[in-house]
Amino acid sequence: MKRSWRGLVGLWVLMWGLAWADGTQLQQVTRVFEALHQSEAALAAGNTARAQALLTDIHGVADGLRRETETYVSRARSSADGRQAELLRTVQQIDETFRLEGESDRAVREQEARIADLDAQLAQAQAVRTGLDAQMAEYQREVQIRNECLAHPLEGIFYSWDCWRLSFQDVFANRWKALNNDIADNQRQRMRIERDRQAARDEREDALRRIEMLKARKAELQARRSRLEGEEKTLRAAVVRLTDAVVFWRDLGVLIKSDIGTVAMLQDSVQRLARRADAQAPTPVFDRYDAESVRSLEDTLKDFARSIDNGRNILLAPGG
């Protein structure tokens, strides 16, 4: 991180050093365009010597602007490539998030189906328990009758069918033991079903929480993708417009160094450059990513220079 900041500071110092060599960036750009327009006017007035002097005077500045603009074109292209790579990674992460969300959604449906099945099993086990409880109530009534029969053995055994039937102790005891075993088995079965149902509910809740987390993550990634798409678009547009500027500065330098034979040819060349400087085209607003406007190349380069001078140009930012 320290090296990154040191590199950024070094770039900043270099750019400011280049800018202040012949004045601020905006002063240099303004000077070149004023000289171009003044030379056009001088040629229109027939003053070829003044026109040539004006152009010769800005040769060094125009060449310096070309080299510096080439640096920004390279930086913009590299930053756009970086955004594109980050965008690709983000899209892959979004796809993975969609996949995980689908898996969690399927897990929710599976656990809900299992919970429904366990609810049915528990209802069936509860119905069995209800029957066993009814049977237990009957056995308890028989115990009461048997106790009464034992209290009045002579009366009960000869005058009551129940007393005679319940007098077989071993048979009664076996029935009572079997019933208690059935109740215990039913209790264990219901406890197992309830544990399984609670486990299924817990898994369903875990899956639902994962879905909410994945939705939040997906929204974050989609916002990042939208930001990266906008930034890449702006940086690609910056490459195009600044490349136009590089070509303009280069052609201006070629014109200044050329040995043009006639005044008409010089005037035509200057007028062509002036028209190119005035040509309107969509261009980024270089101090932010989320806006663009239609401006002339001259206005674009002046605004670009102004954003360099005040330190707000997007290409000066880390990773800009």
Side-chain angles (χ1 to χ4, degrees), residues 17-119:
L18 290 171
W20 280 100
D22 290 296
T24 67
Q25 184 91 353
L26 180 59
Q27 288 174 337
Q28 293 179 65
V29 172
T30 300
R31 176 184 170 190
V32 170
F33 280 110
E34 285 180 350
L36 177 65
H37 296 314
Q38 289 173 7
S39 66
E40 183 182 17
L43 288 168
N47 193 342
T48 305
R50 173 167 171 73
Q52 290 177 329
L54 286 166
L55 293 175
T56 300
D57 187 53
I58 60 171
H59 175 256
V61 178
D63 193 52
L65 288 172
R66 176 188 58 77
R67 292 195 304 271
E68 188 170 352
T69 306
E70 286 175 343
T71 300
Y72 283 113
V73 169
S74 177
R75 184 171 177 82
R77 183 178 291 110
S78 176
S79 296
D81 291 342
R83 295 300 195 283
Q84 185 180 45
E86 188 177 355
L87 179 60
L88 177 60
R89 291 191 296 270
T90 301
V91 170
Q92 291 172 340
Q93 290 173 334
I94 290 173
D95 291 341
E96 177 65 9
T97 303
F98 268 111
R99 187 187 67 79
L100 293 174
E101 188 178 355
E103 287 184 357
S104 296
D105 187 63
R106 285 191 296 275
V108 168
R109 293 196 300 272
E110 289 172 359
Q111 295 308 319
E112 286 179 343
R114 176 154 176 74
I115 290 168
D117 179 62
L118 291 168
D119 284 342

Side-chain angles (χ1 to χ4, degrees), residues 124-305:
Q124 183 178 4
Q126 186 60 49
V128 172
R129 178 56 188 267
T130 300
L132 292 172
D133 287 344
Q135 192 173 349
M136 176 61 74
E138 177 63 21
Y139 281 12
Q140 288 173 343
R141 188 184 70 82
E142 291 179 353
V143 168
Q144 184 179 2
I145 294 173
R146 189 168 184 275
N147 288 337
E148 290 177 356
C149 292
L150 292 174
H152 307 87
L154 295 178
E155 297 177 9
I157 196 168
F158 292 106
Y159 299 103
S160 171
W161 162 251
D162 285 337
C163 286
W164 186 85
R165 179 175 61 84
L166 297 173
S167 64
F168 298 96
Q169 183 175 357
D170 290 344
V171 174
F172 180 80
N174 288 337
R175 290 171 59 220
W176 179 267
K177 182 178 179 181
L179 177 60
N180 277 286
N181 288 339
D182 289 343
I183 291 174
D185 289 343
N186 178 266
Q187 177 68 14
R188 285 191 291 270
Q189 180 188 24
R190 288 189 298 117
M191 290 176 63
R192 177 186 58 77
I193 294 173
E194 288 178 349
R195 284 197 301 269
D196 291 346
R197 184 174 65 172
Q198 186 58 50
R201 286 174 174 172
D202 291 343
E203 289 187 26
R204 180 187 63 183
E205 292 305 312
D206 287 344
L208 288 171
R209 282 192 292 270
R210 285 197 301 272
I211 288 174
E212 291 305 311
M213 292 174 60
L214 289 166
K215 284 182 177 178
R217 174 62 172 163
K218 184 172 63 178
E220 175 187 340
L221 290 170
Q222 287 173 334
R224 183 194 300 174
R225 179 180 65 182
S226 179
R227 174 180 61 79
L228 289 171
E229 287 174 342
E231 290 182 1
E232 185 193 2
K233 178 182 177 183
T234 297
L235 289 166
R236 298 294 183 196
V239 170
V240 172
R241 200 59 170 144
L242 291 177
T243 299
D244 290 342
V246 169
V247 175
F248 178 84
W249 296 134
R250 183 198 64 199
D251 291 348
L252 178 59
V254 170
L255 171 64
I256 294 171
K257 291 188 296 183
S258 298
D259 184 15
I260 298 178
T262 66
V263 174
M265 289 179 61
L266 176 61
Q267 187 174 17
D268 179 68
S269 297
V270 170
Q271 288 175 345
R272 287 177 181 272
L273 282 173
R275 284 196 297 272
R276 285 168 59 184
D278 194 48
Q280 304 285 312
T283 186
V285 177
F286 286 100
D287 59 0
R288 55 191 293 189
Y289 282 104
D290 58 349
E292 69 173 19
S293 64
V294 177
R295 289 176 291 177
S296 67
L297 181 61
E298 179 177 350
D299 289 339
T300 296
L301 292 178
K302 287 180 178 178
D303 289 343
F304 182 82

